[in-house]
Amino acid sequence: MPSYTAPVKDTQFVLQDVLKVTTLDIPGYDELEADFTSAVLEEAGKIASEVTQPLNKIGDEQGCRLENGVVRTPEGFKHAYDMMREGGWPALDVDAEYGGQGMPAVLNLATGEFFSSANMAFQMYFGLTHGAISAINAHGTDAQKQTYLPKMASGDWSGTMNLTEPQCGTDLGLIRTKAEPQDDGTYKITGQKIWISAGEHDLTDNIVHLVLARIPGGPEGIKGISLFIVPKFIVNEDGSLGDRNALSCGGLEEKMGIHGNATCVMNYDGATGYLIGEMHKGMRAMFTMMNEARLLVGMQGYAQASVAYQNALGFAQERLQGRDITGEKNPNGPADPIIVHPDVRRNLLDQKSFVEGARAFALWGATLIDQAHRNGDKEADDLISLLTPVIKGFLTDKGFDATVLAQQTLGGSGFTQEWGLEQFVRDARIAMIYEGTNGIQSLDLVGRKLGLNGGKTVMGFFDLVKTFIKENEDNTALKADFLDPLKAASKDLQAGAMYFMAEGMKNPNNALSGSYDFMHLFGHVCFGLMWARMAKAAQEALDGGASDRDFYEAKLATGRYYMKRQLPATALHLARIQSGADPVMTLDAANF
Amino acid sequence: MPSYTAPVKDTQFVLQDVLKVTTLDIPGYDELEADFTSAVLEEAGKIASEVTQPLNKIGDEQGCRLENGVVRTPEGFKHAYDMMREGGWPALDVDAEYGGQGMPAVLNLATGEFFSSANMAFQMYFGLTHGAISAINAHGTDAQKQTYLPKMASGDWSGTMNLTEPQCGTDLGLIRTKAEPQDDGTYKITGQKIWISAGEHDLTDNIVHLVLARIPGGPEGIKGISLFIVPKFIVNEDGSLGDRNALSCGGLEEKMGIHGNATCVMNYDGATGYLIGEMHKGMRAMFTMMNEARLLVGMQGYAQASVAYQNALGFAQERLQGRDITGEKNPNGPADPIIVHPDVRRNLLDQKSFVEGARAFALWGATLIDQAHRNGDKEADDLISLLTPVIKGFLTDKGFDATVLAQQTLGGSGFTQEWGLEQFVRDARIAMIYEGTNGIQSLDLVGRKLGLNGGKTVMGFFDLVKTFIKENEDNTALKADFLDPLKAASKDLQAGAMYFMAEGMKNPNNALSGSYDFMHLFGHVCFGLMWARMAKAAQEALDGGASDRDFYEAKLATGRYYMKRQLPATALHLARIQSGADPVMTLDAANF
């Protein structure tokens, strides 16, 4: 059975030593002192380890069951859900006005990682609600906010996102679900939605569905889509629950992983819906949810990698097999622990350097969100907009790879259900697909985000890297190991962008054929930057006489590993990008 | 539901156009004319598609059940097993002397791919038997061969390999199972073996276990291991089945995939065993099985990728979503098929160029086996010995990756059980682990195979690449697209080997830290060679006025894709190798 211990110290290192959150000029950040964040993180870690992690395997084995229209979640989920609610965790960063804790997004992401590591399928119930809260908060009327947000923030009600239909996932312009206007200002929603996570379950009194649908007579395609609030139970004027709405769960999807989360076919049969945001501008409102969801999905990628790594590491330190080639390390035992073997270490360090780099990258991203929301900082908003597809795509691809590596560390045991590693692989797999497949993320990055503000945003990112290198170029301890490789990687990224500009003009497929590699190239540069920043912070701590020298030395060693063994991948991605459209486009579709 | 069509034409291209099997001077190869191999492949493909593939999902869903010591295989397995037997497929390349068909190994591998694509878990029952046949054939006495081989070749009895115990997998020196000599020359076998594929089932009348055990008083460690034949039912002198032997299945492993194959805990309680091969030389005999099994496992890697690719391709050609950016391709439909999108094509071409490259590589490897066995060619034997860990490690790593890519092609559908792609991923995963994890393969390659004959064998491989390039350097159509990149990749491989020689002397960890990257680097060079050979063959066919021009043009386009977008990975692997031991070894085990 796998176990989980929240990596509070690593998170604190990022928050306090690297990002130095209290020094950032963001409202509310002055509260984020080490004692406070430590207390919050410790408490979240305790619940994750003791309450939700023990349900992870149970959830996987039992899955959800649909009985007479009611979805039963696995044993213990309801109890754990109530404990999470009582602790105020679902609303950590929701406005205090609606009953939330009003904490910054960065703290929500930090604790969310622990909960996701402990039990991804369970945590998704809160994740979906969170996205729905954000959408209603951003686009709802005051009345809508008052009606829904307090109950959702308290966890009494949950939320969902309804986009996909059988004939359309990526291409939402093909949506057919109809929303017919009624005399009372409401709409009758009719259609079928599929793959609706947490679409129906027994954890809350009400479920607030946000549904994309088409108002007849509107523009065709994507420009005629509107967003609706469609609650499972109609909410009376006094806030109490009224009639059951005309919607139902028509089936549960059998899937590779996240069995504890109900993936529903949702049938809307003239259900009462309330327009949220402007008519035909539903995609804009939905993107509020999507962008937030994409960051959280990126986090799921490294959260699964993190728990998988912990368990792989524990195995590698205990499993005795073979001898250290340079001399026995466990002479009194029948063999040495396998962590003595270089190839086992390579495998573990690939995981470790990813998990820690990813955590730093994502938490930095969350500070940009806070900067954007709390300071109205447009530059920060644009930068996180640029980075969102990278966070989602790169972190989930590499996060999945890391779970596979962790599984490999265990050899045959990794393939058995008993050890639980294979569940991390199966659960992590979905993160590469939902909230827009990673291919779509790469198109978003290259097709839309690169051109943001006429390219100024991406230039701003390059400047940020350049400035960091320049500011630290006299730091000889950083230079060869961190700054030089970062500079080389950043040059590769710029060369990739230049290639798109020059050749994409001639033929857009020259850019689109390299989009996926560009996303990965971008991810590596972000990791290079974060590892350089972490190295600097670790070095400062060591220079400052920190007592836990091993911890900071380990950061430096792990960072050096990343720079030496992972970052050089940028050259490969650039070579692929510069090979252009020909290799990809030549073959006729019929001759594949 | 997924489907499968055996890629007979692609296999024929490799056998006839690329390897030109009938021109190879190997006994029996003169029979391998196009008409004959085509008939065999078509027939195998038919059985794979019609008989065993339809059971793939059933096997996954039902799994095996242990009831009162008896293992029940999934519905339909017994019927399909009998059909396979009646067709003579299990013994295609077994000596005619024992009732086999006496065909070359290359044809057995070619058809084995189809059966593995169709139903990997089912096909494993035959694969294990095949390995046991080879071991008995190579190391058994005449009496043992006469007793077991005809019944195993006919499929009446099956076979297994029993290596792993709870405390040892990779490090077989730790084996505890005891074999106590009896007065009648037999041994009493006592101990527990785990993860025994096909250890117990209801498909055959008898199961012939090959068991590694320790004769008391022998040398410690790996040098005191002997191999025993331990049949489920004792075979009487007249060949009839006698008493049930003292062995039993103590449990079935719950695992990530290959549910249709019974993975057994096997308990030996003083079971009667017969020494096979020399006392204390059991590892040598076991390696006969292991080496063959490693090639077959490498094949499983691309076999799963092949069926996954077929289904991903079918989806990409039918799923309508979005529009071709350079102009609509399906103007009368609501959207274009997703194969118009460059990133979907990238994904498909990664799969296609892998599957076809892998097939050529493995079939070439099988001709080396035939060359070694049928001609007693030591050079061929050494070369395939060198290539075996590459075939096993690289083909299963990349094969798994390809199934993940195929799953990704389907977006959300890929995560559902309904479409079946996720099963290919789960089944393919084991191939990276069993028969020696891929990490172990890389150690075998770098630690033992590189030094084979004082390095002459690997030099022979480099010469082979060099000779091919030299022989074709005037071929301008090949030069820039194929020969130049192959030359560059081969140089990277040589540089990696040189690094190991120079730096491994100083510190063996300098070599061991790069072993995994070296295995991948080697794999890419082999693929580069095979794609160059395939390109040459395709070009010759086109120059010769072949009627199916699209087929050969597609080979050239796919090969160019590989050379442009995959082969450059060699530089990254070399960079990692040349980073040496420091990044991997610095961090203290306690500080991970």
Side-chain angles (χ1 to χ4, degrees):
Chain A
M1 283 282 284
S3 65
Y4 177 66
T5 307
V8 171
K9 193 165 182 180
D10 290 289
T11 303
Q12 281 288 72
F13 169 69
V14 175
L15 293 179
Q16 306 298 340
D17 296 348
V18 183
L19 300 174
K20 301 187 201 304
V21 283
T22 56
T23 70
L24 300 177
D25 190 20
I26 303 173
Y29 269 48
D30 51 340
E31 290 178 35
L32 300 181
E33 282 174 5
D35 285 352
F36 174 71
T37 51
S38 172
V40 173
L41 293 171
E42 290 287 357
E43 181 59 21
K46 196 165 174 295
I47 296 171
S49 300
E50 296 174 9
V51 179
T52 73
Q53 193 276 336
L55 299 175
N56 194 43
K57 197 171 195 310
I58 293 170
D60 184 56
E61 286 169 357
Q62 295 187 355
C64 295
R65 300 186 318 281
L66 177 63
E67 292 168 356
N68 303 320
V70 178
V71 172
R72 306 275 174 216
T73 54
E75 234 172 281
F77 270 39
K78 174 70 177 146
H79 175 70
Y81 184 90
D82 290 340
M83 285 193 69
M84 289 285 288
R85 281 181 51 190
E86 283 156 27
W89 297 105
L92 196 68
D93 67 344
V94 174
D95 283 355
E97 187 184 348
Y98 302 114
Q101 314 267 338
M103 291 287 140
V106 72
L107 205 56
N108 192 54
L109 191 76
T111 54
E113 177 204 321
F114 301 168
F115 295 129
S116 282
S117 289
N119 195 329
M120 177 168 160
F122 174 74
Q123 189 58 18
M124 284 173 64
Y125 290 103
F126 298 104
L128 273 305
T129 304
H130 197 276
I133 289 175
S134 300
I136 295 173
N137 197 24
H139 303 281
T141 63
D142 281 345
Q144 286 172 335
K145 290 186 200 178
Q146 290 304 337
T147 303
Y148 296 101
L149 294 186
K151 288 288 193 182
M152 293 172 79
S154 68
D156 288 318
W157 302 349
S158 61
T160 72
M161 301 167 63
N162 285 238
L163 290 78
T164 306
E165 299 181 6
Q167 79 290 351
C168 65
T170 296
D171 188 353
L172 293 172
L174 302 178
I175 277 178
R176 289 186 196 142
T177 296
K178 261 189 322 194
E180 288 169 302
Q182 307 296 305
D183 292 343
D184 62 358
T186 66
Y187 292 78
K188 289 279 173 229
I189 312 291
T190 305
Q192 187 177 68
K193 296 286 180 178
I194 61 170
W195 303 340
I196 307 309
S197 296
E200 174 60 37
H201 56 77
D202 55 5
L203 301 175
T204 58
D205 300 333
N206 202 4
I207 302 175
V208 181
H209 300 287
L210 293 188
V211 181
L212 286 184
R214 191 180 289 288
I215 300 172
E220 286 194 5
I222 204 77
K223 290 176 180 164
I225 306 287
S226 306
L227 184 64
F228 298 88
I229 298 175
V230 190
K232 177 175 167 185
F233 289 98
I234 304 288
V235 182
N236 295 324
E237 292 219 349
D238 65 356
S240 64
L241 294 184
D243 293 343
R244 181 72 149 86
N245 208 345
L247 61 91
S248 61
C249 172
L252 292 179
E253 212 70 56
E254 300 285 339
K255 52 202 193 294
M256 184 183 194
I258 52 166
H259 294 155
N261 200 279
T263 306
C264 302
V265 175
M266 295 302 299
N267 295 320
Y268 295 88
D269 303 305
T272 300
Y274 311 94
L275 182 68
I276 171 167
E278 287 179 64
M279 190 183 285
H280 309 321
K281 300 277 168 72
M283 288 307 293
R284 192 183 299 172
M286 192 50 98
F287 265 103
T288 303
M289 292 173 75
M290 292 282 285
N291 276 331
E292 178 188 301
R294 284 172 179 183
L295 288 169
L296 292 177
V297 171
M299 175 270 279
Q300 291 178 331
Y302 69 84
Q304 288 305 293
S306 171
V307 64
Y309 168 67
Q310 277 188 18
N311 285 279
L313 176 60
F315 185 92
Q317 281 168 331
E318 290 185 7
R319 174 74 170 173
L320 306 179
Q321 211 76 173
R323 291 292 186 186
D324 186 332
I325 197 167
T326 62
E328 296 189 357
K329 288 288 184 295
N330 177 34
N332 298 324
D336 289 338
I338 62 171
I339 198 170
V340 303
H341 304 303
D343 190 62
V344 171
R345 293 174 145 261
R346 165 200 64 79
N347 178 319
L348 290 170
L349 282 163
D350 276 348
Q351 298 168 53
K352 180 176 170 67
S353 64
F354 164 72
V355 170
E356 295 176 13
R359 182 179 295 121
F361 181 22
L363 289 175
W364 172 48
T367 65
L368 294 174
I369 291 178
D370 284 325
Q371 182 82 17
H373 291 182
R374 294 180 170 227
N375 277 334
D377 182 333
K378 173 141 189 332
E379 250 179 71
D381 200 27
D382 289 340
L383 183 55
I384 188 59
S385 220
L386 171 70
L387 296 177
T388 294
V390 182
I391 292 175
K392 197 281 185 181
F394 189 68
L395 267 48
T396 60
D397 274 0
K398 293 289 180 184
F400 173 75
D401 289 349
T403 61
V404 173
L405 286 171
Q407 185 184 23
Q408 193 73 11
T409 314
L410 276 76
S413 299
F415 198 65
T416 65
Q417 290 175 11
E418 184 186 350
W419 284 83
L421 272 291
E422 62 92 34
Q423 185 188 344
F424 301 137
V425 174
R426 288 186 291 103
D427 286 354
R429 183 64 185 88
I430 188 60
M432 296 156 72
I433 297 172
Y434 62 16
E435 302 310 335
T437 64
N438 287 357
I440 292 298
Q441 302 302 321
S442 77
L443 298 188
D444 179 44
L445 175 64
V446 170
R448 304 183 342 138
K449 301 299 175 64
L450 266 191
L452 213 60
N453 299 312
K456 271 189 203 144
T457 302
V458 72
M459 292 307 295
F461 174 81
F462 291 136
D463 279 345
L464 202 143
V465 175
K466 227 176 283 177
T467 303
F468 180 83
I469 294 172
K470 208 172 174 64
E471 281 174 1
N472 295 285
E473 63 190 353
D474 297 335
N475 186 332
T476 48
L478 280 189
K479 190 159 185 320
D481 288 351
F482 292 93
L483 303 182
D484 291 348
L486 173 59
K487 190 187 262 180
S490 182
K491 269 195 184 162
D492 285 343
L493 183 61
Q494 292 176 61
M498 295 299 278
Y499 179 85
F500 289 159
M501 288 223 288
E503 303 299 323
M505 296 287 204
K506 299 178 198 160
N507 174 1
N509 286 337
N510 278 327
L512 298 179
S513 298
S515 65
Y516 211 87
D517 282 283
F518 190 78
M519 179 174 78
H520 274 249
L521 173 40
F522 210 139
H524 278 297
V525 174
C526 292
F527 270 53
L529 175 63
M530 297 320 296
W531 270 117
R533 291 182 64 178
M534 286 194 275
K536 186 186 172 184
Q539 203 189 59
E540 283 171 358
L542 288 166
D543 292 347
S547 60
D548 193 354
R549 302 191 71 78
D550 285 347
F551 177 81
Y552 294 105
E553 293 285 5
K555 290 289 172 207
L556 285 167
T558 309
R560 285 195 194 100
Y561 181 90
Y562 193 88
M563 304 310 269
K564 275 282 187 199
R565 294 193 47 112
Q566 292 298 333
L567 201 59
T570 58
L572 173 59
H573 291 300
L574 179 60
R576 287 185 184 148
I577 288 166
Q578 292 177 335
S579 73
D582 271 2
V584 173
M585 302 308 295
T586 302
L587 192 58
D588 200 73
N591 297 332
F592 266 69
Chain B
M1 283 282 284
S3 66
Y4 177 66
T5 307
V8 171
K9 194 167 180 178
D10 289 289
T11 303
Q12 281 287 71
F13 170 68
V14 175
L15 293 179
Q16 305 299 338
D17 296 348
V18 182
L19 300 175
K20 300 185 200 305
V21 282
T22 55
T23 69
L24 299 177
D25 190 20
I26 302 173
Y29 269 48
D30 51 339
E31 289 177 35
L32 300 181
E33 282 176 5
D35 284 353
F36 174 71
T37 51
S38 173
V40 173
L41 294 170
E42 290 287 356
E43 181 60 22
K46 195 165 175 292
I47 296 171
S49 300
E50 296 175 9
V51 179
T52 73
Q53 192 276 337
L55 299 175
N56 194 43
K57 199 170 193 314
I58 293 169
D60 185 56
E61 286 169 359
Q62 296 188 355
C64 296
R65 301 188 316 282
L66 177 64
E67 291 168 357
N68 303 320
V70 178
V71 172
R72 306 276 173 212
T73 54
E75 233 173 283
F77 270 39
K78 174 70 176 146
H79 174 70
Y81 184 89
D82 290 339
M83 285 192 70
M84 290 284 288
R85 278 180 54 189
E86 282 157 27
W89 296 106
L92 196 68
D93 67 344
V94 173
D95 283 355
E97 187 183 348
Y98 302 115
Q101 314 267 335
M103 291 287 140
V106 72
L107 203 56
N108 191 54
L109 191 76
T111 54
E113 177 204 321
F114 300 168
F115 295 129
S116 282
S117 288
N119 195 329
M120 177 168 159
F122 174 73
Q123 189 58 19
M124 283 173 64
Y125 290 102
F126 298 104
L128 272 305
T129 304
H130 197 276
I133 289 175
S134 300
I136 295 174
N137 197 23
H139 303 282
T141 62
D142 281 345
Q144 286 171 336
K145 291 186 201 178
Q146 289 305 337
T147 303
Y148 296 101
L149 294 186
K151 288 288 193 182
M152 294 173 78
S154 69
D156 287 319
W157 301 351
S158 62
T160 73
M161 300 168 61
N162 285 240
L163 290 77
T164 307
E165 299 181 7
Q167 78 289 352
C168 66
T170 295
D171 189 352
L172 292 172
L174 302 177
I175 277 179
R176 289 187 198 142
T177 296
K178 260 189 322 194
E180 289 169 301
Q182 306 297 304
D183 292 341
D184 62 358
T186 66
Y187 292 78
K188 289 278 171 227
I189 312 291
T190 306
Q192 187 177 66
K193 295 287 180 177
I194 61 170
W195 303 341
I196 308 308
S197 296
E200 174 58 38
H201 56 77
D202 55 5
L203 301 176
T204 57
D205 300 334
N206 201 6
I207 302 175
V208 181
H209 301 287
L210 293 189
V211 182
L212 286 184
R214 190 180 289 288
I215 300 171
E220 284 194 7
I222 203 79
K223 290 176 181 163
I225 307 288
S226 306
L227 184 63
F228 299 87
I229 298 175
V230 191
K232 177 176 167 185
F233 289 99
I234 303 288
V235 182
N236 296 324
E237 292 220 347
D238 65 356
S240 64
L241 294 184
D243 293 343
R244 181 74 150 85
N245 208 346
L247 61 92
S248 61
C249 172
L252 291 180
E253 213 70 55
E254 299 285 338
K255 52 202 195 291
M256 184 184 195
I258 51 165
H259 294 156
N261 199 279
T263 306
C264 303
V265 175
M266 295 302 299
N267 295 321
Y268 295 88
D269 303 304
T272 300
Y274 310 94
L275 181 69
I276 171 169
E278 286 180 64
M279 192 182 284
H280 309 323
K281 300 278 169 70
M283 288 308 293
R284 192 182 299 171
M286 192 51 98
F287 265 104
T288 303
M289 290 174 76
M290 292 282 284
N291 276 331
E292 177 188 303
R294 284 173 178 181
L295 289 169
L296 292 177
V297 171
M299 175 270 280
Q300 290 178 332
Y302 69 83
Q304 287 306 290
S306 171
V307 64
Y309 167 67
Q310 278 188 19
N311 285 279
L313 175 61
F315 185 90
Q317 281 169 330
E318 289 185 8
R319 175 75 170 172
L320 305 180
Q321 211 78 172
R323 291 293 187 186
D324 186 334
I325 198 167
T326 62
E328 297 188 358
K329 287 289 183 295
N330 177 33
N332 298 325
D336 289 338
I338 62 172
I339 197 170
V340 303
H341 304 304
D343 191 61
V344 172
R345 292 174 146 261
R346 166 200 63 78
N347 178 319
L348 290 170
L349 281 163
D350 276 348
Q351 299 169 52
K352 182 177 170 66
S353 63
F354 164 72
V355 170
E356 295 177 13
R359 181 179 296 123
F361 182 20
L363 289 175
W364 173 48
T367 65
L368 294 174
I369 291 178
D370 284 324
Q371 181 83 18
H373 290 182
R374 295 181 171 227
N375 276 335
D377 182 332
K378 174 145 188 326
E379 251 180 69
D381 199 27
D382 289 340
L383 183 55
I384 188 61
S385 218
L386 171 70
L387 297 177
T388 294
V390 182
I391 291 175
K392 197 281 185 181
F394 189 68
L395 265 50
T396 60
D397 274 0
K398 294 289 178 182
F400 174 74
D401 289 348
T403 62
V404 172
L405 286 171
Q407 186 185 23
Q408 193 72 13
T409 314
L410 276 76
S413 299
F415 198 65
T416 64
Q417 290 174 11
E418 184 187 351
W419 284 82
L421 273 292
E422 62 92 35
Q423 185 189 345
F424 301 138
V425 174
R426 288 185 291 103
D427 286 354
R429 183 65 184 86
I430 188 60
M432 296 156 71
I433 297 172
Y434 61 16
E435 303 307 337
T437 65
N438 287 357
I440 292 298
Q441 302 303 320
S442 77
L443 298 187
D444 179 44
L445 175 64
V446 170
R448 305 186 338 140
K449 302 298 175 65
L450 267 191
L452 213 60
N453 299 313
K456 272 190 200 142
T457 303
V458 71
M459 292 309 294
F461 174 80
F462 291 135
D463 280 345
L464 201 143
V465 175
K466 226 176 283 174
T467 304
F468 180 83
I469 294 172
K470 209 172 173 66
E471 282 174 359
N472 295 283
E473 65 189 353
D474 296 336
N475 186 332
T476 48
L478 280 189
K479 189 158 186 321
D481 289 351
F482 293 93
L483 302 182
D484 291 348
L486 173 59
K487 189 187 263 181
S490 181
K491 268 194 184 163
D492 286 343
L493 183 62
Q494 291 176 60
M498 294 299 280
Y499 179 85
F500 289 159
M501 287 221 290
E503 303 298 324
M505 297 286 206
K506 299 178 199 160
N507 175 0
N509 286 338
N510 279 326
L512 297 180
S513 298
S515 65
Y516 211 86
D517 281 283
F518 190 78
M519 180 175 75
H520 274 248
L521 173 40
F522 210 139
H524 277 297
V525 173
C526 292
F527 270 52
L529 174 64
M530 296 319 296
W531 270 117
R533 291 182 63 178
M534 285 193 276
K536 184 185 173 184
Q539 204 190 56
E540 283 172 356
L542 288 165
D543 292 347
S547 59
D548 193 354
R549 302 191 70 79
D550 284 348
F551 177 81
Y552 294 106
E553 293 285 5
K555 290 290 172 207
L556 285 167
T558 309
R560 285 196 194 98
Y561 181 91
Y562 193 87
M563 304 309 272
K564 275 280 188 201
R565 293 192 49 111
Q566 292 298 333
L567 201 60
T570 57
L572 173 59
H573 291 299
L574 179 60
R576 288 185 184 148
I577 288 166
Q578 292 177 337
S579 73
D582 271 1
V584 173
M585 302 308 296
T586 303
L587 192 57
D588 200 74
N591 297 332
F592 265 69

